[in-house]
């Protein structure tokens, strides 16, 4: 257990989960390494994930308190549910897509004791590549700051105190400072303060509730602090990527709610209707870009479906395999044929999850193609849209094959082009067990990757080689190793605690790490003959 049942915990940690069990498990693993974890209670509020999150997490972390909701009630409201069960002196609201360093809680408590007027403390938040996540400290949004941010002026002139207000980019990110607001991914505060202001405003479903809470805490006379000595890694928007368009809509809805609620405090020359029009305009651009990006596969399919049908029909007609070209029909009939063909394939591919990277496979794609062909031919023959012909019947099947083949060949082709055009990905392996040898074999088979060296996690001799690759040192010296070597990817293969080493060292490195991957914990418990040939790797992305 994280704390003795007959004692009151010092800190209550509330985490809201929505379909991110793997990320939540990593967050909890990092929390177990934290100093003072034995004085904490952990409350997980599940927002009706509808998966096996509860079974998966409670089996590995029996010390947590799990609250299962029947509906997704939103982030702020779910936090309030968890906070009502909290019994600690302090409350930490933590996102499930974070990992924390060992000293986060001691640093928070020390800072809170030295600053009794602190109503909330936020950390220096790092992206998985080690760069600063700009949203970890913010000013309250006003029409002018929003204009400078969304127009790109704040990115062009980040050091300008006037133009860089939105994310306070003009401030030194290594110096503690009072700010207007911090990120909702990590909020540490006295539980009494959270309850004094009434918790989160539940009209915010997702987004905006953190800024609103900061506003109300400051209005009570407390201060909001950004403290860079507290560091975490945050994979931004892991839950929201499950429903990307819906999450963007929620973001702009939150902007409208916040503007309506606090418009009176920000008087200016911008009329209310112009502010709302600006929000709607920005939302249209943002959501439109998401839809276009998400529709790439469907747009490609429509082009291939119709061009292949046209090409095959003309080829068969010119070679006298068919006596009639569908192009000889009226324009309306020709359009109807193409609409029926495209609709049949798009509907069946959507229905069978072909457009979902998680669900796609060669089998599912080809089967969906056959079903699409059957649907199109059944409709077209019965409605006499096209004449009954065995040769014509083969055309949709060829189209199905074309659609599957482009899905199979495009990723491989793009990967090979990258191999030819770009330098190999430089990999640093961290670990010292037998799995290192397996990983060496895995990466040697990838021509796109090059192992730079190996970093040890134990007290073994730090000179020499392992499997022909130099031992660059111990994990304690990771910062120096990263500065001395050009590294694109870190791969971690150790059961020992590593989160703090990574957080502290990538934060201090001037070189960005493109990717951080690690061997899942369950692999270490496998017998030697059960270890898969290709070692699975997890990542923040």
């Amino acid at each position: 257990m994280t704390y003795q049942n007959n004692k009151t915990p010092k800190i209550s940690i509330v985490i809201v989960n929505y379909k991110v069990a793997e990320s939540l498990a990593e967050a909890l693993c990092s929390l177990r390494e934290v100093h003072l974890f034995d004085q904490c209670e952990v409350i997980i509020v599940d927002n009706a994930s509808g998966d096996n999150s509860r079974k998966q997490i409670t089996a590995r972390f029996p010390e947590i308190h799990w609250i299962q909701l029947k509906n997704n009630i939103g982030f702020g409201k779910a936090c309030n549910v968890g906070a009502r069960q909290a019994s600690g002196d302090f409350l930490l609201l933590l996102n499930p897509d974070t990992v924390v360093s060992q000293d986060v809680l001691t640093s928070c408590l020390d800072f809170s004791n030295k600053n009794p007027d602190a109503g909330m403390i936020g950390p220096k938040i790092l992206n998985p590549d080690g760069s600063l996540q700009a949203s970890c400290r913010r000013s309250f949004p006003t029409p002018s700051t929003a204009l400078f941010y969304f127009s790109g002026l704040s990115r062009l002139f980040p050091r300008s105190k006037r133009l860089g207000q939105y994310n306070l980019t003009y401030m030194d990110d290594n110096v503690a400072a009072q700010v207007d607001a911090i990120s909702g991914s990590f909020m540490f505060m006295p539980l009494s303060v959270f309850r004094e202001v009434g918790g989160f405003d539940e009209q915010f479903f997702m987004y905006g509730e953190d800024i609103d809470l900061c506003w109300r805490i400051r209005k009570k006379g407390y201060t909001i602090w950004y403290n860079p000595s507290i560091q975490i890694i945050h994979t931004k928007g892991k839950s929201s990527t499950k429903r990307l368009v819906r999450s963007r809509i929620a973001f702009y809805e939150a902007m409208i709610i916040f503007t309506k609620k606090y418009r009176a405090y920000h008087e200016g020359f911008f009329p209310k209707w112009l502010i709302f029009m600006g929000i709607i305009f920005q939302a249209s651009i943002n959501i439109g870009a998401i839809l276009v990006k998400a529709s790439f596969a469907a747009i490609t399919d429509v082009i291939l479906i119709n061009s292949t049908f046209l090409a095959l029909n003309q080829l068969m007609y010119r070679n006298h395999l068919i006596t009639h070209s569908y192009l000889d029909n009226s324009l309306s009939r020709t359009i109807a044929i193409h609409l029926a063909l495209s609709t049949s394939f798009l509907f069946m591919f959507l229905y069978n999850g072909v457009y979902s990277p998680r669900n796609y496979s060669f089998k599912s794609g080809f089967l969906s193609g056959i079903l699409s062909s059957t649907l199109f031919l059944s409709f077209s023959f019965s409605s006499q849209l096209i004449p009954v012909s065995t040769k014509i019947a083969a055309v949709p099947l060829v189209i199905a094959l074309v659609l599957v083949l482009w899905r199979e060949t495009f990723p491989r082709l793009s990967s090979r082009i990258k191999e030819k055009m770009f330098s190999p990905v430089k990999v640093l392996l961290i670990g010292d067990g037998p799995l290192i040898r397996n990983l060496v074999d895995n990466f040697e088979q990838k021509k796109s990757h090059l192992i730079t060296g190996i970093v040890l996690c134990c007290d073994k001799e730090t000179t020499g080689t392992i499997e022909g690759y130099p031992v660059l040192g111990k994990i304690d010296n990771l910062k120096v190793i990263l500065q001395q070597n050009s590294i694109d990817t870190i791969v971690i293969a150790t059961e020992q605690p590593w989160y703090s080493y990574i957080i502290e060292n990538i934060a201090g490195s001037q070189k960005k790490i493109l990717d951080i991957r690690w061997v899942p914990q369950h692999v270490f418990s496998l017998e030697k003959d059960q270890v898969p040939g290709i070692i699975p790797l997890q990542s923040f992305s």
Side-chain angles (χ1 to χ4, degrees):
M1 295 294 290
T2 55
Y3 65 100
Q4 300 297 319
N5 289 331
N6 60 344
K7 293 183 179 180
T8 301
K10 184 73 174 176
I11 303 166
S12 296
I13 304 172
V14 174
I15 304 175
V16 175
N17 176 62
Y18 180 68
K19 298 185 178 183
V20 286
E22 287 186 0
S23 296
L24 176 58
E26 292 301 329
L28 293 172
C29 281
S30 70
L31 279 172
R32 275 181 168 175
E33 300 174 17
V34 170
H35 303 310
L36 300 182
F37 184 65
D38 59 338
Q39 298 180 40
C40 297
E41 63 174 349
V42 180
I43 301 168
I44 308 296
V45 184
D46 186 80
N47 246 336
S49 293
D51 54 17
N52 67 340
S53 293
R54 181 173 189 170
K55 181 179 179 181
Q56 182 179 341
I57 297 300
T58 54
R60 288 183 61 185
F61 306 94
E63 68 270 23
I64 67 169
H65 174 42
W66 187 279
I67 300 175
Q68 183 64 53
L69 302 179
K70 293 185 177 180
N71 297 297
N72 184 355
I73 60 176
F75 175 77
K77 199 170 184 177
C79 282
N80 288 345
V81 170
R84 281 195 286 271
Q85 301 295 319
S87 54
D89 297 325
F90 292 88
L91 175 67
L92 171 59
L93 301 175
L94 184 70
N95 272 19
D97 52 356
T98 59
V99 293
V100 301
S101 57
Q102 286 182 324
D103 60 353
V104 287
L105 297 182
T106 51
S107 296
C108 283
L109 284 177
D110 288 345
F111 191 86
S112 184
N113 290 333
K114 292 176 183 177
N115 298 272
D117 63 336
M120 186 184 292
I121 303 166
K124 181 177 185 178
I125 302 178
L126 306 175
N127 292 308
D129 65 358
S131 61
L132 178 72
Q133 196 164 106
S135 59
C136 64
R137 55 193 182 158
R138 291 174 283 185
S139 62
F140 291 129
T142 64
S144 58
T145 57
L147 176 63
F148 298 146
Y149 178 76
F150 289 112
S151 66
L153 288 172
S154 63
R155 286 182 286 277
L156 287 173
F157 306 99
R159 296 303 174 189
S160 167
K161 192 170 183 178
R162 173 66 173 157
L163 301 178
Q165 274 287 326
Y166 194 90
N167 284 322
L168 304 176
T169 50
Y170 61 88
M171 295 174 61
D172 187 342
D173 58 78
N174 292 314
V175 177
Q178 287 189 41
V179 294
D180 285 345
I182 58 174
S183 168
S185 59
F186 184 109
M187 289 180 150
F188 184 90
M189 70 202 85
L191 181 59
S192 58
V193 171
F194 186 80
R195 289 176 173 168
E196 182 182 346
V197 298
F200 283 118
D201 184 339
E202 296 182 359
Q203 67 178 314
F204 294 92
F205 182 81
M206 181 171 63
Y207 302 113
E209 67 286 309
D210 49 357
I211 299 179
D212 173 79
L213 180 64
C214 290
W215 179 287
R216 288 183 287 117
I217 287 176
R218 285 195 56 169
K219 205 164 184 295
K220 288 286 186 179
Y222 299 103
T223 54
I224 308 293
W225 281 88
Y226 162 77
N227 186 351
S229 67
I230 307 163
Q231 297 180 348
I232 69 169
I233 292 176
H234 179 214
T235 309
K236 200 170 183 179
K238 212 54 180 302
S239 294
S240 61
T241 54
K242 303 293 181 180
R243 294 180 179 177
L244 195 55
V245 173
R246 179 68 187 92
S247 71
R248 288 294 86 193
I249 292 173
F251 174 79
Y252 289 106
E253 284 177 344
M255 288 182 68
I256 292 174
I257 293 170
F258 191 89
T259 300
K260 287 180 177 178
K261 189 172 180 179
Y262 297 111
R263 168 65 177 160
Y265 294 92
H266 286 297
E267 296 180 1
F269 63 89
F270 292 100
K272 186 176 181 180
W273 67 267
L274 184 59
I275 295 172
F276 290 146
M277 285 298 294
I279 294 173
I280 293 170
F281 176 73
Q282 179 63 30
S284 300
I285 293 175
N286 189 278
I287 294 171
I290 292 171
L291 290 173
V292 169
K293 185 177 179 180
S295 302
F296 171 76
I299 293 170
T300 304
D301 282 347
V302 170
I303 294 171
L304 289 175
I305 289 166
N306 291 284
S307 59
T308 303
F309 185 80
L310 174 62
L312 289 175
N313 183 272
Q314 291 302 99
L315 183 65
M316 294 169 70
Y317 178 68
R318 290 177 182 176
N319 288 279
H320 308 292
L321 296 175
I322 56 176
T323 59
H324 177 76
S325 171
Y326 78 99
L327 292 176
D328 295 333
N329 296 319
S330 64
L331 179 62
S332 59
R333 192 179 185 88
T334 301
I335 293 174
I337 291 171
H338 279 283
L339 282 175
L341 183 66
S342 300
T343 303
S344 298
F345 274 92
L346 292 177
F347 170 77
M348 201 57 69
F349 276 37
L350 281 168
Y351 183 79
N352 290 317
V354 175
Y355 291 115
S356 170
R358 289 173 177 248
N359 298 330
Y360 172 76
S361 66
F362 179 87
K363 183 179 178 181
S364 68
F366 192 66
L367 179 61
S368 298
I370 293 174
L371 293 173
S372 302
S373 302
T374 304
L375 179 63
F376 169 70
L377 293 172
S378 299
F379 171 75
S380 300
F381 289 162
S382 63
S383 63
Q384 297 183 343
L385 194 61
I386 57 175
V388 177
S389 167
T390 54
K391 295 183 178 65
I392 289 293
V395 173
L397 295 175
V398 175
I399 292 174
L401 185 61
V402 169
L403 297 183
V404 173
L405 285 177
W406 91 256
R407 282 174 166 77
E408 293 294 318
T409 57
F410 181 76
R412 297 175 187 177
L413 182 62
S414 60
S415 178
R416 291 196 175 186
I417 291 173
K418 287 179 182 178
E419 289 179 16
K420 298 291 184 182
M421 293 182 63
F422 301 104
S423 302
V425 176
K426 298 179 179 64
V427 179
L428 179 69
L429 299 180
I430 298 179
D432 39 53
L435 286 181
I436 285 291
R437 290 173 173 79
N438 296 63
L439 288 169
V440 167
D441 291 338
N442 291 172
F443 282 109
E444 283 181 342
Q445 294 174 26
K446 296 181 179 181
K447 294 181 180 179
S448 59
H449 290 70
L450 178 67
I451 299 174
T452 299
I454 297 171
V455 173
L456 302 180
C457 298
C458 62
D459 294 327
K460 291 181 181 178
E461 181 61 43
T462 59
T463 59
T465 63
I466 294 179
E467 296 295 303
Y469 294 99
V471 175
L472 301 178
K474 296 181 182 179
I475 196 170
D476 295 338
N477 298 317
L478 184 58
K479 183 182 293 186
V480 175
I481 294 169
L482 292 177
Q483 291 171 345
Q484 294 175 345
N485 297 273
S486 176
I487 303 297
D488 300 312
T489 298
I490 291 177
V491 178
I492 305 161
T494 178
E495 291 183 274
Q496 297 183 33
W498 55 266
Y499 301 99
S500 283
Y501 287 110
I502 295 299
I503 292 171
E504 292 164 8
N505 286 292
I506 67 172
S509 174
Q510 297 299 314
K511 300 178 182 179
K512 291 183 181 178
I513 306 302
L514 297 181
D515 199 9
I516 298 173
R517 297 180 178 271
W518 60 89
V519 178
Q521 286 294 315
H522 74 271
V523 176
F524 293 98
S525 61
L526 297 175
E527 296 295 332
K528 187 176 180 180
D529 59 344
Q530 295 177 324
V531 176
I534 303 297
I535 303 297
L537 295 175
Q538 290 182 234
S539 72
F540 292 115
S541 58

